[in-house]
Amino acid sequence: MNVADTLRGLLRRWYVTVPGLVLAFALAVATYVMVPPVYQRTATQLLMPGEGTVPPGATNPYLYLGGLTQAADIVVRVMQSNEVLGPVAEKHPDAELKVARDSQVSGPAIQITVTASSDAAAASALDALVDQTGVVLERLQTQQKVTPDDQMRVATLTEDTQSTLQQKNRLVLAAAVGFAAVLLTLVVASMVDGLIRRARRSGRGGVRKRATAIAAEDVDESAVEVDADDVTPDAVVADAERADVPVTAAAAPDTETGSASKAADEASLDEVAEADLDGFDPSAEEEDGDETTDDADRPRVGRLSR
Protein backbone atom coordinates (compact mmCIF):
# COMPACT_ATOMS: atom_id res chain seq x y z
CA MET A 1 0.00 0.00 0.00
CA ASN A 2 1.48 3.36 -1.05
CA VAL A 3 0.83 6.87 0.21
CA ALA A 4 -1.92 7.52 -2.34
CA ASP A 5 -3.86 4.41 -1.28
CA THR A 6 -3.51 5.41 2.37
CA LEU A 7 -4.81 8.90 1.68
CA ARG A 8 -7.75 7.53 -0.28
CA GLY A 9 -8.53 5.19 2.59
CA LEU A 10 -8.45 8.09 5.06
CA LEU A 11 -10.77 10.08 2.82
CA ARG A 12 -13.16 7.13 2.57
CA ARG A 13 -13.21 6.86 6.37
CA TRP A 14 -13.62 10.59 6.94
CA TYR A 15 -16.08 9.85 9.74
CA VAL A 16 -13.11 8.43 11.69
CA THR A 17 -10.37 10.77 10.47
CA VAL A 18 -12.14 14.10 11.02
CA PRO A 19 -13.30 13.44 14.61
CA GLY A 20 -9.88 12.00 15.41
CA LEU A 21 -8.08 15.11 14.17
CA VAL A 22 -10.46 17.35 16.08
CA LEU A 23 -9.89 15.29 19.21
CA ALA A 24 -6.11 15.48 18.71
CA PHE A 25 -6.28 19.27 18.44
CA ALA A 26 -8.47 19.46 21.55
CA LEU A 27 -6.06 17.26 23.51
CA ALA A 28 -3.09 19.38 22.46
CA VAL A 29 -4.84 22.60 23.53
CA ALA A 30 -5.94 21.05 26.81
CA THR A 31 -2.39 19.90 27.52
CA TYR A 32 -1.04 23.36 26.77
CA VAL A 33 -3.56 24.94 29.12
CA MET A 34 -3.17 22.40 31.92
CA VAL A 35 0.63 22.44 31.98
CA PRO A 36 1.63 25.69 33.72
CA PRO A 37 4.52 27.79 32.41
CA VAL A 38 7.73 28.10 34.39
CA TYR A 39 9.71 31.16 35.44
CA GLN A 40 13.48 31.29 35.18
CA ARG A 41 16.06 33.57 36.74
CA THR A 42 19.87 33.50 36.49
CA ALA A 43 22.77 35.10 38.27
CA THR A 44 26.48 35.21 37.45
CA GLN A 45 29.18 35.57 40.11
CA LEU A 46 32.93 36.05 39.75
CA LEU A 47 35.73 35.15 42.13
CA MET A 48 38.02 38.07 42.86
CA PRO A 49 41.57 37.86 44.25
CA GLY A 50 42.34 39.05 47.81
CA GLU A 51 43.92 42.39 48.38
CA GLY A 52 47.05 40.73 49.73
CA THR A 53 47.55 38.71 46.54
CA VAL A 54 47.53 41.71 44.23
CA PRO A 55 50.88 43.51 43.67
CA PRO A 56 51.22 46.73 45.63
CA GLY A 57 49.99 49.70 43.71
CA ALA A 58 47.79 47.55 41.35
CA THR A 59 44.37 49.03 40.92
CA ASN A 60 42.81 46.55 38.48
CA PRO A 61 42.11 43.12 40.12
CA TYR A 62 40.57 41.71 36.93
CA LEU A 63 44.07 41.39 35.55
CA TYR A 64 44.87 38.76 38.16
CA LEU A 65 42.06 36.23 37.63
CA GLY A 66 44.20 33.58 35.96
CA GLY A 67 44.81 31.49 39.06
CA LEU A 68 41.23 31.50 40.35
CA THR A 69 39.69 29.04 37.86
CA GLN A 70 40.52 26.00 39.98
CA ALA A 71 39.10 27.72 43.05
CA ALA A 72 35.87 28.41 41.16
CA ASP A 73 35.55 24.72 40.29
CA ILE A 74 35.91 23.81 43.97
CA VAL A 75 33.25 26.31 44.99
CA VAL A 76 30.86 24.98 42.34
CA ARG A 77 31.40 21.44 43.56
CA VAL A 78 30.53 22.38 47.12
CA MET A 79 27.53 24.42 45.99
CA GLN A 80 26.16 21.38 44.16
CA SER A 81 26.22 19.27 47.30
CA ASN A 82 23.10 18.40 49.23
CA GLU A 83 24.49 20.33 52.19
CA VAL A 84 24.00 23.60 50.30
CA LEU A 85 21.18 22.90 47.86
CA GLY A 86 19.16 20.76 50.29
CA PRO A 87 17.82 23.55 52.53
CA VAL A 88 16.96 25.74 49.54
CA ALA A 89 15.21 22.85 47.77
CA GLU A 90 13.16 22.14 50.90
CA LYS A 91 11.89 25.72 50.97
CA HIS A 92 11.12 25.63 47.22
CA PRO A 93 10.11 22.03 46.35
CA ASP A 94 8.80 22.94 42.90
CA ALA A 95 11.98 24.81 41.91
CA GLU A 96 14.82 23.47 39.80
CA LEU A 97 18.23 24.62 41.05
CA LYS A 98 21.40 24.54 38.98
CA VAL A 99 24.92 25.75 39.84
CA ALA A 100 27.75 25.41 37.30
CA ARG A 101 30.74 27.10 35.80
CA ASP A 102 29.77 29.64 33.14
CA SER A 103 30.82 27.95 29.89
CA GLN A 104 30.76 31.24 28.00
CA VAL A 105 33.41 32.80 30.22
CA SER A 106 37.01 31.62 30.44
CA GLY A 107 37.50 33.12 33.90
CA PRO A 108 36.35 31.94 37.34
CA ALA A 109 32.67 32.72 36.71
CA ILE A 110 29.86 30.82 38.43
CA GLN A 111 26.35 30.74 36.97
CA ILE A 112 23.28 30.03 39.11
CA THR A 113 19.97 29.16 37.36
CA VAL A 114 16.63 28.77 39.12
CA THR A 115 13.44 27.56 37.44
CA ALA A 116 10.18 27.66 39.42
CA SER A 117 6.44 27.65 38.89
CA SER A 118 6.11 31.25 39.99
CA ASP A 119 8.13 34.43 39.73
CA ALA A 120 8.26 34.91 43.48
CA ALA A 121 9.60 31.40 44.09
CA ALA A 122 12.29 31.87 41.46
CA ALA A 123 13.42 35.19 42.98
CA SER A 124 13.53 33.80 46.51
CA ALA A 125 15.51 30.69 45.56
CA LEU A 126 17.99 32.70 43.50
CA ASP A 127 18.67 35.13 46.36
CA ALA A 128 19.31 32.24 48.73
CA LEU A 129 21.85 30.62 46.42
CA VAL A 130 23.65 33.88 45.69
CA ASP A 131 24.10 34.40 49.41
CA GLN A 132 25.34 30.83 49.87
CA THR A 133 28.20 31.29 47.41
CA GLY A 134 29.92 33.88 49.62
CA VAL A 135 29.29 31.76 52.74
CA VAL A 136 30.78 28.65 51.17
CA LEU A 137 33.87 30.49 49.87
CA GLU A 138 34.56 32.10 53.24
CA ARG A 139 34.16 28.79 55.09
CA LEU A 140 36.58 26.99 52.77
CA GLN A 141 39.28 29.65 53.24
CA THR A 142 38.75 29.81 56.98
CA GLN A 143 39.21 26.05 57.22
CA GLN A 144 42.57 26.48 55.44
CA LYS A 145 43.50 29.35 57.79
CA VAL A 146 43.88 31.90 55.00
CA THR A 147 44.52 35.39 56.32
CA PRO A 148 41.71 37.87 55.73
CA ASP A 149 43.83 40.00 53.37
CA ASP A 150 44.59 37.01 51.15
CA GLN A 151 41.08 35.55 51.11
CA MET A 152 39.19 35.59 47.80
CA ARG A 153 35.84 37.26 47.58
CA VAL A 154 32.76 36.91 45.39
CA ALA A 155 31.44 39.68 43.15
CA THR A 156 27.96 39.40 41.67
CA LEU A 157 28.14 40.39 38.05
CA THR A 158 24.51 39.89 37.00
CA GLU A 159 21.27 38.93 38.74
CA ASP A 160 17.89 38.91 37.06
CA THR A 161 15.30 41.14 38.64
CA GLN A 162 12.51 39.75 36.42
CA SER A 163 11.85 36.16 35.52
CA THR A 164 11.80 34.87 31.99
CA LEU A 165 8.64 32.95 31.08
CA GLN A 166 9.60 29.56 29.68
CA GLN A 167 7.06 27.98 27.30
CA LYS A 168 9.26 25.25 25.88
CA ASN A 169 8.15 22.44 28.17
CA ARG A 170 4.44 22.98 27.72
CA LEU A 171 4.84 23.43 23.96
CA VAL A 172 6.83 20.20 23.66
CA LEU A 173 4.35 18.25 25.80
CA ALA A 174 1.33 19.62 23.92
CA ALA A 175 2.94 18.79 20.58
CA ALA A 176 3.74 15.27 21.76
CA VAL A 177 0.16 14.65 22.88
CA GLY A 178 -1.27 16.06 19.65
CA PHE A 179 1.11 14.02 17.49
CA ALA A 180 0.28 10.82 19.38
CA ALA A 181 -3.45 11.46 18.97
CA VAL A 182 -3.07 12.16 15.23
CA LEU A 183 -0.99 9.02 14.76
CA LEU A 184 -3.57 6.95 16.63
CA THR A 185 -6.34 8.44 14.48
CA LEU A 186 -4.52 7.54 11.26
CA VAL A 187 -3.88 4.00 12.46
CA VAL A 188 -7.51 3.46 13.51
CA ALA A 189 -8.86 4.91 10.27
CA SER A 190 -6.55 2.69 8.21
CA MET A 191 -7.57 -0.40 10.20
CA VAL A 192 -11.28 0.39 9.82
CA ASP A 193 -10.86 0.91 6.08
CA GLY A 194 -8.96 -2.35 5.72
CA LEU A 195 -11.51 -4.37 7.71
CA ILE A 196 -14.46 -2.95 5.78
CA ARG A 197 -12.84 -3.60 2.41
CA ARG A 198 -11.90 -7.13 3.44
CA ALA A 199 -15.45 -7.82 4.60
CA ARG A 200 -16.82 -6.54 1.31
CA ARG A 201 -14.44 -8.76 -0.65
CA SER A 202 -15.50 -11.77 1.43
CA GLY A 203 -19.16 -10.93 0.88
CA ARG A 204 -18.69 -10.65 -2.86
CA GLY A 205 -16.86 -13.94 -2.94
CA GLY A 206 -19.67 -15.63 -1.01
CA VAL A 207 -22.30 -14.19 -3.34
CA ARG A 208 -20.37 -15.44 -6.36
CA LYS A 209 -20.06 -18.92 -4.85
CA ARG A 210 -23.79 -19.02 -4.06
CA ALA A 211 -24.62 -17.80 -7.55
CA THR A 212 -22.39 -20.48 -9.06
CA ALA A 213 -24.00 -23.19 -6.89
CA ILE A 214 -27.50 -22.03 -7.80
CA ALA A 215 -26.59 -21.98 -11.48
CA ALA A 216 -25.19 -25.53 -11.21
CA GLU A 217 -28.37 -26.74 -9.49
CA ASP A 218 -30.49 -25.15 -12.22
CA VAL A 219 -28.39 -26.88 -14.86
CA ASP A 220 -28.81 -30.26 -13.10
CA GLU A 221 -32.58 -29.81 -12.75
CA SER A 222 -32.92 -28.85 -16.38
CA ALA A 223 -30.90 -31.90 -17.39
CA VAL A 224 -33.14 -34.16 -15.29
CA GLU A 225 -36.25 -32.62 -16.80
CA VAL A 226 -34.86 -33.17 -20.28
CA ASP A 227 -34.13 -36.85 -19.46
CA ALA A 228 -37.63 -37.36 -18.11
CA ASP A 229 -39.17 -35.84 -21.21
CA ASP A 230 -37.08 -38.18 -23.39
CA VAL A 231 -38.63 -41.31 -21.75
CA THR A 232 -41.48 -42.18 -24.19
CA PRO A 233 -42.97 -45.51 -25.32
CA ASP A 234 -41.16 -45.25 -28.62
CA ALA A 235 -37.87 -44.75 -26.79
CA VAL A 236 -38.55 -47.78 -24.57
CA VAL A 237 -39.28 -49.96 -27.65
CA ALA A 238 -36.11 -48.76 -29.31
CA ASP A 239 -34.05 -49.56 -26.20
CA ALA A 240 -35.64 -53.02 -25.96
CA GLU A 241 -34.87 -53.84 -29.56
CA ARG A 242 -31.23 -52.79 -29.06
CA ALA A 243 -31.03 -55.05 -25.97
CA ASP A 244 -32.64 -58.10 -27.83
CA VAL A 245 -35.60 -58.10 -25.40
CA PRO A 246 -39.12 -58.81 -26.63
CA VAL A 247 -41.02 -55.66 -27.17
CA THR A 248 -43.99 -56.96 -25.18
CA ALA A 249 -41.81 -57.19 -22.06
CA ALA A 250 -40.07 -53.86 -22.55
CA ALA A 251 -43.12 -51.80 -23.48
CA ALA A 252 -44.63 -51.85 -20.01
CA PRO A 253 -46.23 -48.41 -20.27
CA ASP A 254 -48.63 -49.67 -23.03
CA THR A 255 -51.85 -51.00 -21.37
CA GLU A 256 -53.02 -53.19 -24.27
CA THR A 257 -49.61 -54.78 -24.74
CA GLY A 258 -49.40 -55.44 -21.01
CA SER A 259 -52.83 -57.20 -20.99
CA ALA A 260 -51.87 -59.43 -23.93
CA SER A 261 -48.63 -60.47 -22.29
CA LYS A 262 -50.54 -61.28 -19.08
CA ALA A 263 -53.03 -63.53 -20.96
CA ALA A 264 -50.17 -65.30 -22.73
CA ASP A 265 -48.47 -66.01 -19.40
CA GLU A 266 -51.68 -67.48 -17.91
CA ALA A 267 -52.16 -69.76 -20.95
CA SER A 268 -48.62 -71.07 -20.65
CA LEU A 269 -49.18 -71.82 -16.97
CA ASP A 270 -52.37 -73.81 -17.75
CA GLU A 271 -50.54 -75.87 -20.36
CA VAL A 272 -47.81 -76.75 -17.86
CA ALA A 273 -50.40 -77.78 -15.25
CA GLU A 274 -52.27 -80.06 -17.71
CA ALA A 275 -48.99 -81.68 -18.76
CA ASP A 276 -48.20 -82.48 -15.14
CA LEU A 277 -51.67 -84.02 -14.58
CA ASP A 278 -51.39 -86.16 -17.72
CA GLY A 279 -48.10 -87.64 -16.58
CA PHE A 280 -49.31 -88.39 -13.03
CA ASP A 281 -49.37 -92.24 -12.06
CA PRO A 282 -50.76 -93.15 -8.62
CA SER A 283 -49.17 -96.61 -8.59
CA ALA A 284 -45.81 -95.16 -9.28
CA GLU A 285 -46.32 -92.79 -6.42
CA GLU A 286 -47.13 -95.70 -4.06
CA GLU A 287 -44.02 -97.57 -5.14
CA ASP A 288 -42.02 -94.47 -4.51
CA GLY A 289 -43.60 -94.25 -1.07
CA ASP A 290 -42.65 -97.88 -0.22
CA GLU A 291 -39.13 -97.31 -1.31
CA THR A 292 -39.02 -94.30 0.88
CA THR A 293 -40.33 -96.30 3.83
CA ASP A 294 -37.73 -99.03 3.32
CA ASP A 295 -35.01 -96.46 3.07
CA ALA A 296 -36.17 -94.84 6.27
CA ASP A 297 -36.16 -98.16 8.16
CA ARG A 298 -32.66 -99.20 7.21
CA PRO A 299 -30.85 -96.67 9.30
CA ARG A 300 -32.84 -97.65 12.31
CA VAL A 301 -31.83 -101.31 11.97
CA GLY A 302 -28.25 -100.28 11.53
CA ARG A 303 -28.33 -98.20 14.69
CA LEU A 304 -29.88 -101.07 16.67
CA SER A 305 -27.25 -103.51 15.47
CA ARG A 306 -24.54 -101.21 16.69
Side-chain angles (χ1 to χ4, degrees):
M1 180 180 292
N2 52 24
V3 178
D5 293 337
T6 303
L7 293 177
R8 283 194 292 269
L10 296 177
L11 291 177
R12 283 193 298 268
R13 309 306 161 201
W14 61 268
Y15 49 84
V16 177
T17 305
V18 174
L21 295 178
V22 173
L23 180 61
F25 179 77
L27 289 175
V29 172
T31 303
Y32 182 83
V33 173
M34 292 177 62
V35 175
V38 293
Y39 298 85
Q40 188 177 81
R41 288 197 181 200
T42 58
T44 302
Q45 294 179 300
L46 182 67
L47 295 186
M48 302 293 293
E51 294 179 359
T53 59
V54 177
T59 59
N60 189 358
Y62 292 102
L63 298 177
Y64 304 95
L65 299 177
L68 302 179
T69 305
Q70 293 83 359
D73 292 335
I74 295 173
V75 173
V76 168
R77 180 60 180 170
V78 176
M79 289 288 294
Q80 292 175 346
S81 65
N82 190 35
E83 180 183 0
V84 178
L85 292 182
V88 180
E90 289 179 358
K91 293 181 181 180
H92 306 88
D94 60 342
E96 180 182 355
L97 310 176
K98 183 179 179 181
V99 180
R101 279 277 311 277
D102 192 349
S103 59
Q104 298 180 356
V105 179
S106 60
I110 301 174
Q111 188 178 46
I112 302 173
T113 305
V114 177
T115 304
S117 59
S118 64
D119 186 25
S124 176
L126 183 62
D127 291 340
L129 290 177
V130 168
D131 294 339
Q132 284 294 323
T133 305
V135 174
V136 168
L137 181 60
E138 183 180 358
R139 187 183 70 206
L140 292 174
Q141 295 180 107
T142 301
Q143 291 176 352
Q144 298 300 324
K145 298 179 180 182
V146 179
T147 60
D149 291 339
D150 294 339
Q151 289 184 0
M152 296 175 291
R153 55 191 177 87
V154 178
T156 302
L157 299 180
T158 60
E159 183 177 359
D160 293 340
T161 57
Q162 292 182 352
S163 300
T164 303
L165 190 63
Q166 300 292 324
Q167 303 281 4
K168 181 179 179 180
N169 293 337
R170 66 194 307 198
L171 288 174
V172 170
L173 188 58
V177 172
F179 178 77
V182 170
L183 183 62
L184 181 62
T185 299
L186 298 179
V187 171
V188 171
S190 299
M191 291 178 61
V192 170
D193 183 67
L195 292 174
I196 292 176
R197 296 184 66 183
R198 186 178 304 172
R200 287 181 178 177
R201 291 195 190 104
S202 301
R204 291 173 182 173
V207 170
R208 290 176 181 175
K209 291 181 179 178
R210 288 194 295 270
T212 304
I214 292 172
E217 291 177 359
D218 293 340
V219 171
D220 294 339
E221 291 178 357
S222 62
V224 171
E225 291 176 359
V226 170
D227 293 340
D229 293 339
D230 292 341
V231 178
T232 59
D234 296 337
V236 172
V237 172
D239 293 338
E241 290 177 353
R242 284 194 297 270
D244 294 335
V245 178
V247 177
T248 56
D254 192 354
T255 305
E256 294 179 358
T257 306
S259 300
S261 62
K262 183 176 181 182
D265 293 339
E266 292 177 354
S268 62
L269 289 174
D270 292 340
E271 292 177 357
V272 172
E274 289 177 359
D276 291 339
L277 290 176
D278 292 340
F280 177 72
D281 188 0
S283 62
E285 186 176 2
E286 292 177 357
E287 293 177 359
D288 295 337
D290 294 339
E291 293 176 358
T292 305
T293 303
D294 295 338
D295 294 336
D297 293 338
R298 290 191 187 95
R300 295 178 184 176
V301 174
R303 282 193 291 272
L304 291 175
S305 63
R306 292 193 190 99

